[in-house]
């Protein structure tokens, strides 16, 4: 059961975030904290560790959380979940690229994604910054306030 949960959680994260690992941070943080897989402090610590390890950030964190929750198989399922949406989307785009290459609509959509990605990265910086600069107790209080609305 944990393998399915890991796969679908990280599949959702991979599917609904654009802009790479840092843009995924707010959704990763929300999902992981709501499921109780890691604490806010553990997430911040792992972000620091993943910066010094080779490979994409999202893959590193999915693999780490998967291994913590389900061992080697959990790491494989979580990693597959976070990578598969991007792979499928890029495969579909590559098949249709010649048709849409000069489309003004596609160009407009791509330029519209830039501010959204910047916003997601800024949200990640603020979220991680709160945890880093506040004590764990203050961060938990802030998180509870944030979840309550």
């Amino acid at each position: 059961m944990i393998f399915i949960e890991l796969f679908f959680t990280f599949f959702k994260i991979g599917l609904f975030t654009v802009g790479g690992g840092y843009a995924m941070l707010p959704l990763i943080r929300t999902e992981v904290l709501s499921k109780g897989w890691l604490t806010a402090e553990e997430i911040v610590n792992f972000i620091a560790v993943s910066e010094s390890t080779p490979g994409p950030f999202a893959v590193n964190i999915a693999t780490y959380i998967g291994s913590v929750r389900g061992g080697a198989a959990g790491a494989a399922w979580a990693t597959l979940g976070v990578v598969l949406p991007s792979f499928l989307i890029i495969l579909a785009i590559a098949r249709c690229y010649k048709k849409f290459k000069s489309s003004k609509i596609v160009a407009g959509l791509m330029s519209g994604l830039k501010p959204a990605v910047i916003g997601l990265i800024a949200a990640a910086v603020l979220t991680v910054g709160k945890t880093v600069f506040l004590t764990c107790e203050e961060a938990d209080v802030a998180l509870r306030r944030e979840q309550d609305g």
Side-chain angles (χ1 to χ4, degrees), residues 53-131:
T53 57
F57 175 78
V59 172
N60 289 346
I61 199 159
T63 304
Y64 174 73
I65 293 169
S67 69
V68 167
R69 302 304 305 164
W77 281 107
T79 302
L80 180 64
V82 81
V83 170
L84 192 59
S86 298
F87 177 77
L88 295 175
I89 291 167
I90 293 299
L91 191 62
I93 289 171
R95 287 193 65 147
C96 302
Y97 180 69
K98 285 186 179 180
K99 292 179 188 176
F100 300 109
K101 185 164 93 172
S102 60
S103 168
K104 290 182 181 182
I105 294 171
V106 171
L109 286 172
M110 295 309 259
S111 67
L113 283 175
K114 291 175 189 175
V117 170
I118 290 169
L120 287 169
I121 292 171
V125 167
L126 292 174
T127 302
V128 172
K130 274 191 225 175
T131 307

Side-chain angles (χ1 to χ4, degrees), residues 3 7 17 43 50 54 61 64 72 88 107:
F3 304 130
F7 175 81
T17 52
I43 291 172
S50 73
I61 199 159
Y64 174 73
L88 295 175

Side-chain angles (χ1 to χ4, degrees), residues 4 6 25 58 84 100 127 148:
I4 293 169
L6 284 164
L25 268 178
L84 192 59
F100 300 109
T127 302
D148 291 340

Side-chain angles (χ1 to χ4, degrees), residues 29 33 40-41 130-131 134-149:
R29 184 176 184 275
L33 289 176
E41 187 176 356
K130 274 191 225 175
T131 307
L134 299 175
T135 65
C136 292
E137 200 171 295
E138 290 171 324
D140 288 339
V141 170
L143 177 64
R144 276 189 236 112
R145 244 187 266 134
E146 192 176 287
Q147 289 175 343
D148 291 340

